[in-house]
PDB file of all heavy atoms in Angstrom:
ATOM      1  N   ASN A1051     -29.881   3.366   8.233  1.00  0.00           N
ATOM      2  CA  ASN A1051     -30.930   2.658   9.090  1.00  0.00           C
ATOM      3  C   ASN A1051     -30.972   1.056   9.049  1.00  0.00           C
ATOM      4  O   ASN A1051     -31.397   0.564   9.913  1.00  0.00           O
ATOM      5  CB  ASN A1051     -32.412   3.077   8.636  1.00  0.00           C
ATOM      6  CG  ASN A1051     -32.488   4.616   8.917  1.00  0.00           C
ATOM      7  OD1 ASN A1051     -32.152   5.113   9.899  1.00  0.00           O
ATOM      8  ND2 ASN A1051     -33.230   5.259   7.912  1.00  0.00           N
ATOM      9  N   TYR A1052     -30.269   0.507   8.048  1.00  0.00           N
ATOM     10  CA  TYR A1052     -30.238  -0.789   7.862  1.00  0.00           C
ATOM     11  C   TYR A1052     -28.792  -1.392   7.508  1.00  0.00           C
ATOM     12  O   TYR A1052     -28.288  -1.349   6.429  1.00  0.00           O
ATOM     13  CB  TYR A1052     -31.198  -1.235   6.673  1.00  0.00           C
ATOM     14  CG  TYR A1052     -32.600  -0.674   6.807  1.00  0.00           C
ATOM     15  CD1 TYR A1052     -32.980   0.393   6.075  1.00  0.00           C
ATOM     16  CD2 TYR A1052     -33.460  -1.208   7.655  1.00  0.00           C
ATOM     17  CE1 TYR A1052     -34.282   0.915   6.199  1.00  0.00           C
ATOM     18  CE2 TYR A1052     -34.771  -0.712   7.872  1.00  0.00           C
ATOM     19  CZ  TYR A1052     -35.105   0.331   7.101  1.00  0.00           C
ATOM     20  OH  TYR A1052     -36.400   0.856   7.211  1.00  0.00           O
ATOM     21  N   GLY A1053     -28.144  -1.727   8.687  1.00  0.00           N
ATOM     22  CA  GLY A1053     -26.717  -2.216   8.532  1.00  0.00           C
ATOM     23  C   GLY A1053     -26.590  -3.455   7.605  1.00  0.00           C
ATOM     24  O   GLY A1053     -25.666  -3.595   6.846  1.00  0.00           O
ATOM     25  N   THR A1054     -27.620  -4.391   7.661  1.00  0.00           N
ATOM     26  CA  THR A1054     -27.688  -5.665   6.949  1.00  0.00           C
ATOM     27  C   THR A1054     -27.656  -5.255   5.421  1.00  0.00           C
ATOM     28  O   THR A1054     -26.916  -5.755   4.635  1.00  0.00           O
ATOM     29  CB  THR A1054     -28.700  -6.532   7.242  1.00  0.00           C
ATOM     30  OG1 THR A1054     -28.607  -6.837   8.685  1.00  0.00           O
ATOM     31  CG2 THR A1054     -28.646  -7.764   6.592  1.00  0.00           C
ATOM     32  N   ILE A1055     -28.579  -4.302   5.167  1.00  0.00           N
ATOM     33  CA  ILE A1055     -28.849  -3.917   3.688  1.00  0.00           C
ATOM     34  C   ILE A1055     -27.467  -3.244   3.192  1.00  0.00           C
ATOM     35  O   ILE A1055     -26.989  -3.441   2.131  1.00  0.00           O
ATOM     36  CB  ILE A1055     -29.921  -2.965   3.523  1.00  0.00           C
ATOM     37  CG1 ILE A1055     -31.233  -3.627   4.006  1.00  0.00           C
ATOM     38  CG2 ILE A1055     -29.989  -2.421   2.151  1.00  0.00           C
ATOM     39  CD1 ILE A1055     -31.567  -4.848   3.116  1.00  0.00           C
ATOM     40  N   PHE A1056     -26.809  -2.428   4.071  1.00  0.00           N
ATOM     41  CA  PHE A1056     -25.528  -1.747   3.702  1.00  0.00           C
ATOM     42  C   PHE A1056     -24.456  -2.801   3.393  1.00  0.00           C
ATOM     43  O   PHE A1056     -23.738  -2.697   2.416  1.00  0.00           O
ATOM     44  CB  PHE A1056     -25.092  -0.882   4.861  1.00  0.00           C
ATOM     45  CG  PHE A1056     -23.897  -0.092   4.537  1.00  0.00           C
ATOM     46  CD1 PHE A1056     -23.914   1.095   3.850  1.00  0.00           C
ATOM     47  CD2 PHE A1056     -22.596  -0.521   5.142  1.00  0.00           C
ATOM     48  CE1 PHE A1056     -22.755   1.797   3.564  1.00  0.00           C
ATOM     49  CE2 PHE A1056     -21.425   0.203   4.826  1.00  0.00           C
ATOM     50  CZ  PHE A1056     -21.493   1.313   4.019  1.00  0.00           C
ATOM     51  N   LYS A1057     -24.499  -3.807   4.259  1.00  0.00           N
ATOM     52  CA  LYS A1057     -23.463  -4.871   3.942  1.00  0.00           C
ATOM     53  C   LYS A1057     -23.687  -5.633   2.646  1.00  0.00           C
ATOM     54  O   LYS A1057     -22.728  -5.788   1.829  1.00  0.00           O
ATOM     55  CB  LYS A1057     -23.457  -5.997   5.049  1.00  0.00           C
ATOM     56  CG  LYS A1057     -22.787  -5.517   6.340  1.00  0.00           C
ATOM     57  CD  LYS A1057     -22.934  -6.694   7.366  1.00  0.00           C
ATOM     58  CE  LYS A1057     -22.214  -6.327   8.659  1.00  0.00           C
ATOM     59  NZ  LYS A1057     -22.305  -7.428   9.655  1.00  0.00           N
ATOM     60  N   LEU A1058     -24.942  -5.921   2.404  1.00  0.00           N
ATOM     61  CA  LEU A1058     -25.316  -6.458   1.066  1.00  0.00           C
ATOM     62  C   LEU A1058     -24.859  -5.564  -0.156  1.00  0.00           C
ATOM     63  O   LEU A1058     -24.346  -5.998  -1.153  1.00  0.00           O
ATOM     64  CB  LEU A1058     -26.816  -6.798   0.968  1.00  0.00           C
ATOM     65  CG  LEU A1058     -27.363  -7.474  -0.181  1.00  0.00           C
ATOM     66  CD1 LEU A1058     -26.709  -8.872  -0.429  1.00  0.00           C
ATOM     67  CD2 LEU A1058     -28.916  -7.598  -0.086  1.00  0.00           C
ATOM     68  N   TYR A1059     -25.117  -4.235  -0.032  1.00  0.00           N
ATOM     69  CA  TYR A1059     -24.867  -3.321  -0.886  1.00  0.00           C
ATOM     70  C   TYR A1059     -23.366  -3.278  -1.274  1.00  0.00           C
ATOM     71  O   TYR A1059     -22.914  -3.356  -2.379  1.00  0.00           O
ATOM     72  CB  TYR A1059     -25.317  -1.994  -0.557  1.00  0.00           C
ATOM     73  CG  TYR A1059     -25.050  -0.825  -1.515  1.00  0.00           C
ATOM     74  CD1 TYR A1059     -25.955  -0.425  -2.470  1.00  0.00           C
ATOM     75  CD2 TYR A1059     -23.870  -0.145  -1.508  1.00  0.00           C
ATOM     76  CE1 TYR A1059     -25.696   0.601  -3.383  1.00  0.00           C
ATOM     77  CE2 TYR A1059     -23.538   0.896  -2.360  1.00  0.00           C
ATOM     78  CZ  TYR A1059     -24.433   1.264  -3.329  1.00  0.00           C
ATOM     79  OH  TYR A1059     -24.241   2.289  -4.208  1.00  0.00           O
ATOM     80  N   VAL A1060     -22.539  -3.273  -0.206  1.00  0.00           N
ATOM     81  CA  VAL A1060     -21.129  -3.228  -0.299  1.00  0.00           C
ATOM     82  C   VAL A1060     -20.593  -4.446  -1.013  1.00  0.00           C
ATOM     83  O   VAL A1060     -19.626  -4.288  -1.903  1.00  0.00           O
ATOM     84  CB  VAL A1060     -20.462  -3.069   1.086  1.00  0.00           C
ATOM     85  CG1 VAL A1060     -18.854  -3.235   0.969  1.00  0.00           C
ATOM     86  CG2 VAL A1060     -20.794  -1.782   1.638  1.00  0.00           C
ATOM     87  N   ARG A1061     -21.132  -5.659  -0.652  1.00  0.00           N
ATOM     88  CA  ARG A1061     -20.700  -6.911  -1.265  1.00  0.00           C
ATOM     89  C   ARG A1061     -21.098  -6.992  -2.720  1.00  0.00           C
ATOM     90  O   ARG A1061     -20.200  -7.342  -3.603  1.00  0.00           O
ATOM     91  CB  ARG A1061     -21.290  -8.091  -0.564  1.00  0.00           C
ATOM     92  CG  ARG A1061     -20.714  -8.309   0.802  1.00  0.00           C
ATOM     93  CD  ARG A1061     -21.131  -9.695   1.319  1.00  0.00           C
ATOM     94  NE  ARG A1061     -20.397  -9.934   2.731  1.00  0.00           N
ATOM     95  CZ  ARG A1061     -21.068  -9.817   3.780  1.00  0.00           C
ATOM     96  NH1 ARG A1061     -22.337  -9.380   3.982  1.00  0.00           N
ATOM     97  NH2 ARG A1061     -20.431 -10.091   4.938  1.00  0.00           N
ATOM     98  N   LEU A1062     -22.320  -6.448  -3.040  1.00  0.00           N
ATOM     99  CA  LEU A1062     -22.806  -6.566  -4.465  1.00  0.00           C
ATOM    100  C   LEU A1062     -21.980  -5.608  -5.344  1.00  0.00           C
ATOM    101  O   LEU A1062     -21.707  -5.923  -6.445  1.00  0.00           O
ATOM    102  CB  LEU A1062     -24.235  -6.236  -4.514  1.00  0.00           C
ATOM    103  CG  LEU A1062     -25.245  -7.263  -4.048  1.00  0.00           C
ATOM    104  CD1 LEU A1062     -26.681  -6.808  -3.937  1.00  0.00           C
ATOM    105  CD2 LEU A1062     -25.096  -8.637  -4.801  1.00  0.00           C
ATOM    106  N   LYS A1063     -21.587  -4.497  -4.816  1.00  0.00           N
ATOM    107  CA  LYS A1063     -20.843  -3.393  -5.502  1.00  0.00           C
ATOM    108  C   LYS A1063     -19.304  -3.732  -5.593  1.00  0.00           C
ATOM    109  O   LYS A1063     -18.599  -3.101  -6.411  1.00  0.00           O
ATOM    110  CB  LYS A1063     -21.107  -2.115  -4.872  1.00  0.00           C
ATOM    111  CG  LYS A1063     -22.476  -1.579  -5.060  1.00  0.00           C
ATOM    112  CD  LYS A1063     -22.819  -1.059  -6.436  1.00  0.00           C
ATOM    113  CE  LYS A1063     -22.100   0.310  -6.725  1.00  0.00           C
ATOM    114  NZ  LYS A1063     -22.444   0.936  -7.927  1.00  0.00           N
ATOM    115  N   GLY A1064     -18.908  -4.601  -4.645  1.00  0.00           N
ATOM    116  CA  GLY A1064     -17.327  -4.827  -4.623  1.00  0.00           C
ATOM    117  C   GLY A1064     -16.674  -3.613  -4.085  1.00  0.00           C
ATOM    118  O   GLY A1064     -15.518  -3.448  -4.528  1.00  0.00           O
ATOM    119  N   ASP A1065     -17.272  -2.865  -3.198  1.00  0.00           N
ATOM    120  CA  ASP A1065     -16.729  -1.612  -2.701  1.00  0.00           C
ATOM    121  C   ASP A1065     -16.041  -1.767  -1.291  1.00  0.00           C
ATOM    122  O   ASP A1065     -15.816  -0.699  -0.710  1.00  0.00           O
ATOM    123  CB  ASP A1065     -17.697  -0.462  -2.700  1.00  0.00           C
ATOM    124  CG  ASP A1065     -18.021   0.047  -4.094  1.00  0.00           C
ATOM    125  OD1 ASP A1065     -17.201  -0.139  -5.018  1.00  0.00           O
ATOM    126  OD2 ASP A1065     -19.117   0.596  -4.310  1.00  0.00           O
ATOM    127  N   ASN A1066     -15.679  -2.964  -0.918  1.00  0.00           N
ATOM    128  CA  ASN A1066     -15.143  -3.047   0.472  1.00  0.00           C
ATOM    129  C   ASN A1066     -13.609  -2.705   0.435  1.00  0.00           C
ATOM    130  O   ASN A1066     -12.732  -3.577   0.212  1.00  0.00           O
ATOM    131  CB  ASN A1066     -15.335  -4.507   0.964  1.00  0.00           C
ATOM    132  CG  ASN A1066     -14.919  -4.528   2.372  1.00  0.00           C
ATOM    133  OD1 ASN A1066     -15.132  -3.685   3.140  1.00  0.00           O
ATOM    134  ND2 ASN A1066     -14.408  -5.771   2.764  1.00  0.00           N
TER     135      ASN A1066
END
Side-chain angles (χ1 to χ4, degrees):
N1051 297 321
Y1052 306 106
T1054 302
I1055 300 297
F1056 183 80
K1057 285 184 177 181
L1058 179 62
Y1059 179 93
V1060 172
R1061 288 193 176 100
L1062 290 175
K1063 294 280 289 182
D1065 285 339
N1066 189 33

